[in-house]
Amino acid sequence: IVRTNQSAIHSAWLRAPVLSGNILTRQSATRPADLDAIFRRGLHLSPGDGLVETFTSGEKVPETALRVAAERLKTSGAGEFILFTVLDVTAEQQATARSAYQALHDPLTGLLNRRGLMPALDGFLKGSQPFTLMILDVDRFKLVNDALGHAVGDALLTEISDRLQAILSTGDLLARTGGDEFVILLPGMINPEVAGETARRFTGVLSEPFTIGDRKV
């Protein structure tokens, strides 16, 4: 590394290799291997070629996102250089990830919404794995909303979601597709008796009283 700017020196991701002067030999436990791999690909560009790649940390909403551009330059009399430009695009990537999440999830319960459920359901309809689909709505929910207010109704829906999720198995899907409507997708279940028993488990946990604030619902 023959030249850099102050932003690179102060970056937690770039400081060690920049100060060592060598992007290849200065490995760091705090710098992901995926980012090192992008730099390596940049160093092996052919003359006149370039690359632009985005590195993101593994979370659904990334903690860090960097867009790395590389270009091989030939100067008169000074040899060839690779010019790397690293742009912090964390805010942009986080906004995109949050927007995608919000489009597919119910803001109240965090469950999949109808739009988020449909691709999964479509995949099961096109595949060969058997499954059971249950649609559940909450009796007398409108009465709770009208008598106690929408805040209590929202709290009740959240509690219902929590109770249902607590008895789901790994791989089962739970979605809230309407005001008081939930959809449960159970992969691998085809036996009617087992499905009936599972439905009774769901209704059983919901038949127990709910305490919302100081009210029993």
Side-chain angles (χ1 to χ4, degrees):
I1 299 174
V2 295
R3 185 179 299 174
T4 187
N5 64 7
Q6 289 297 310
S7 295
I9 293 173
H10 294 301
S11 167
W13 301 90
L14 304 174
R15 178 178 175 82
V18 164
L19 292 180
S20 74
N22 193 321
I23 198 73
L24 288 178
T25 60
R26 186 70 176 185
Q27 297 275 325
S28 169
T30 62
R31 193 175 67 253
D34 288 351
L35 183 57
D36 281 344
I38 294 175
F39 284 119
R40 288 176 182 274
R41 286 193 288 274
L43 289 171
H44 291 91
L45 289 172
S46 299
D49 286 347
L51 70 77
V52 178
E53 295 189 27
T54 300
F55 161 81
T56 60
S57 51
E59 307 87 0
K60 289 183 178 179
V61 178
E63 182 180 335
T64 301
L66 303 174
R67 185 167 296 138
V68 182
E71 183 180 4
R72 193 177 191 94
L73 303 176
K74 190 170 185 177
T75 62
S76 56
E80 293 187 353
F81 296 88
I82 304 294
L83 172 65
F84 285 102
T85 305
V86 183
L87 182 65
D88 188 334
V89 292
T90 302
E92 172 189 324
Q93 293 289 317
Q94 288 177 341
T96 300
R98 289 192 183 101
S99 178
Y101 180 89
Q102 291 165 0
L104 302 177
H105 291 80
D106 169 41
L108 177 64
T109 62
L111 299 176
L112 291 173
N113 59 19
R114 186 181 299 274
R115 183 178 177 185
L117 173 68
M118 292 311 294
L121 178 57
D122 189 54
F124 278 98
L125 290 171
K126 291 178 178 177
S128 58
Q129 183 183 13
F131 66 94
T132 293
L133 191 71
M134 298 183 181
I135 301 173
L136 177 153
D137 67 2
V138 184
D139 290 344
R140 298 183 295 280
F141 177 72
K142 185 176 184 302
L143 181 62
V144 174
N145 253 352
D146 291 346
L148 302 179
H150 289 283
V152 173
D154 286 350
L156 179 59
L157 289 171
T158 301
E159 290 284 339
I160 288 170
S161 165
D162 291 344
R163 287 193 189 184
L164 292 174
Q165 288 186 89
I167 60 173
L168 291 177
S169 299
T170 302
D172 296 345
L173 292 179
L174 175 64
R176 180 186 173 214
T177 55
D180 66 343
E181 183 179 88
F182 295 83
V183 173
I184 304 164
L185 193 156
L186 306 169
M189 184 177 292
I190 196 171
N191 185 294
E193 288 75 21
V194 176
E197 178 58 34
T198 302
R200 285 188 286 275
R201 287 176 61 211
F202 288 135
T203 55
V205 297
L206 300 186
S207 67
E208 297 297 323
F210 291 82
T211 301
I212 310 294
D214 58 352
R215 295 179 181 273
K216 184 175 287 188
V217 178

